Amino acid sequence: MKRIFSLYILVNFALLPCLGFAQENTEKKEPASEQTEASKEEGRVKFSPTNRRDPFLSRDEISTIERNRRAEMERIEKERKAKEDALIAARDAEKAKAEREAYLKANPHLAIISKIKIQGMMGDEVQINNDFKGVGSKVAGATITKITGTRIYFKYKGKDFSLPIPKPKD
């Protein structure tokens, strides 16, 4: 009895979908002239590809486009990197300039050393920049404080410094 009942249920479930197809369509059909836009759209075939490739382009064209896109991305990345490097270089240059200015402020004589050219010595005077100067004279803003046989001592902006007297050439 159980077998017959289970066979009966199996047959009903197996045949039920078939019976649904066999039924007549009882919906009222509209004339062709009265069909709405929505029903016209339902009858059209829609293009919905599963990938992003344009079907109107060949594989060679797609690879060319992709290659150009990659080259453009690399160019943009190089430009961004160059701008970043330029900003870093500018920041480093500004930092070096600030350090140099701080060093020159602590050692102001370094700014004028290149303007002092010592040619030699004659007695108690030295020849600096093609002119003879003695103790107390000013050279490029620095005051000569002491002259020895080998060095000349200067004072500039409160800081003392000295320069050697070059030995005469034979």
Side-chain angles (χ1 to χ4, degrees):
M1 180 81 158
K2 268 187 170 179
R3 283 189 175 179
I4 295 174
F5 182 73
S6 47
L7 185 61
Y8 176 75
I9 291 175
L10 181 64
V11 170
N12 280 338
F13 280 118
L15 295 177
L16 189 60
C18 296
L19 294 176
F21 289 118
Q23 293 178 355
E24 256 184 60
N25 191 356
T26 57
E27 292 181 21
K28 179 181 171 187
K29 290 187 177 181
E30 297 178 13
S33 61
E34 294 179 8
Q35 285 182 345
T36 62
E37 287 295 319
S39 63
K40 286 181 182 177
E41 283 293 319
E42 290 175 9
R44 290 187 184 169
V45 175
K46 293 183 181 177
F47 178 70
S48 57
T50 57
N51 61 12
R52 292 178 31 198
R53 187 175 85 79
D54 187 347
F56 300 109
L57 296 175
S58 70
R59 293 200 185 276
D60 290 337
E61 291 170 325
I62 290 172
S63 65
T64 301
I65 291 169
E66 186 65 23
R67 196 175 325 112
N68 291 343
R69 186 187 65 80
R70 281 192 203 115
E72 181 67 16
M73 295 293 282
E74 288 174 1
R75 184 188 62 78
I76 290 170
E77 181 64 23
K78 283 181 183 177
E79 287 177 0
R80 185 196 62 78
K81 182 73 172 158
K83 286 180 183 177
E84 186 177 296
D85 290 346
L87 286 174
I88 290 171
R91 187 176 40 217
D92 290 347
E94 191 69 32
K95 185 178 176 183
K97 182 180 176 185
E99 288 174 356
R100 183 174 185 269
E101 287 175 358
Y103 186 74
L104 285 177
K105 192 172 186 177
N107 302 300
H109 65 279
L110 296 176
I112 63 162
I113 284 181
S114 63
K115 296 177 184 174
I116 300 173
K117 303 286 186 223
I118 303 171
Q119 284 96 14
M121 184 174 168
M122 182 175 279
D124 59 347
E125 291 185 339
V126 289
Q127 186 179 9
I128 301 174
N129 299 340
N130 294 326
D131 195 15
F132 285 95
K133 304 282 184 177
V135 175
S137 299
K138 290 206 175 250
V139 178
T143 306
I144 299 174
T145 57
K146 182 178 174 183
I147 300 173
T148 65
T150 58
R151 298 192 79 74
I152 303 173
Y153 294 90
F154 297 91
K155 186 169 197 142
Y156 181 72
K157 291 188 179 179
K159 301 285 183 171
D160 293 326
F161 68 99
S162 66
L163 294 174
I165 298 174
K167 295 186 180 184
K169 295 181 182 177
D170 290 334

